[in-house]
């Protein structure tokens, strides 16, 4: 069950962009076990098409990945929760190919790598997202 949301505020922080994608699926023979993956990108100072970089030096650029496996039968009990936060290392590129505020169009590509500074049990300490793409209309 995929879902995607985006917002763009040209008046906040020189133009603030946020993209959030969610994918929900069952990966087990037990029909009560579900996995939810979330990818989020947030960036400030976005006013036109171009290349924007994710790195720790620019706190306006954030990339996040979360995966949670849960048992729905037990009142949504979380079995595994892997996440990356603002203190973790991130690198990558967001390439905006179209940004038309009047028509509400946003398009581009992205890729990033997140490296967790303190590894979590049963979770990868590095996540690499490649070949990300979005074509969004906000109306």
């Amino acid at each position: 069950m995929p879902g995607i949301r985006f917002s763009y505020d040209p008046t906040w922080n020189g133009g603030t962009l946020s993209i959030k994608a969610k994918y929900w699926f069952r990966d087990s023979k037990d029909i009560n076990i579900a996995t939810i993956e979330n990818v989020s990108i947030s960036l400030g100072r976005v006013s036109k098409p171009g290349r924007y970089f994710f790195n720790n030096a620019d706190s306006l650029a954030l990339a996040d990945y979360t995966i949670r496996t849960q048992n729905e039968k037990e009142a949504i009990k979380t079995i595994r929760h892997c996440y990356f936060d603002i203190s973790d290392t991130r690198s990558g590129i967001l390439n905006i190919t179209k940004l038309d505020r009047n028509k509400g169009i946003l398009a581009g590509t992205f890729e990033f790598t997140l490296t967790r500074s303190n590894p979590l049990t049963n979770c990868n300490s590095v996540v690499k997202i490649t070949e990300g793409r979005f074509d969004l209309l906000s109306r």
Side-chain angles (χ1 to χ4, degrees), residues 39-45 52-65 83-94 110-118 125-129:
V39 175
S40 300
I41 298 170
S42 298
L43 199 63
R45 299 185 188 130
Y52 299 88
F53 298 91
F54 299 108
N55 61 40
N56 287 339
D58 182 0
S59 63
L60 297 176
L62 302 174
D64 179 61
Y65 174 81
Y83 61 91
F84 292 80
D85 58 36
I86 196 164
S87 65
D88 295 323
T89 304
R90 58 194 179 276
S91 63
I93 297 173
L94 172 68
F110 64 91
E111 63 180 51
F112 60 85
T113 301
L114 302 170
T115 304
R116 189 153 169 78
S117 52
N118 298 313
S125 60
V126 176
V127 169
K128 185 169 188 162
I129 306 291

Side-chain angles (χ1 to χ4, degrees), residues 2 8 11 13 28 30 35-36 41 50 55-56 58 62 70 83 85-86 89 93 97-98 100-101 110 124 128 130:
Y8 178 73
T11 64
N13 218 5
S28 172
D30 183 341
T35 298
I36 301 167
I41 298 170
N55 61 40
N56 287 339
D58 182 0
L62 302 174
Q70 63 189 33
Y83 61 91
D85 58 36
I86 196 164
T89 304
I93 297 173
T97 56
K98 182 149 183 110
D100 186 329
R101 289 181 270 177
F110 64 91
N124 293 331
K128 185 169 188 162
T130 61

Side-chain angles (χ1 to χ4, degrees), residues 67-97:
I67 183 167
R68 190 174 73 235
T69 305
Q70 63 189 33
N71 184 335
E72 296 175 321
K73 190 174 183 179
E74 297 177 24
I76 315 293
K77 176 184 173 188
T78 297
I79 299 169
R80 180 176 62 136
H81 187 193
C82 303
Y83 61 91
F84 292 80
D85 58 36
I86 196 164
S87 65
D88 295 323
T89 304
R90 58 194 179 276
S91 63
I93 297 173
L94 172 68
N95 185 33
I96 297 178
T97 56

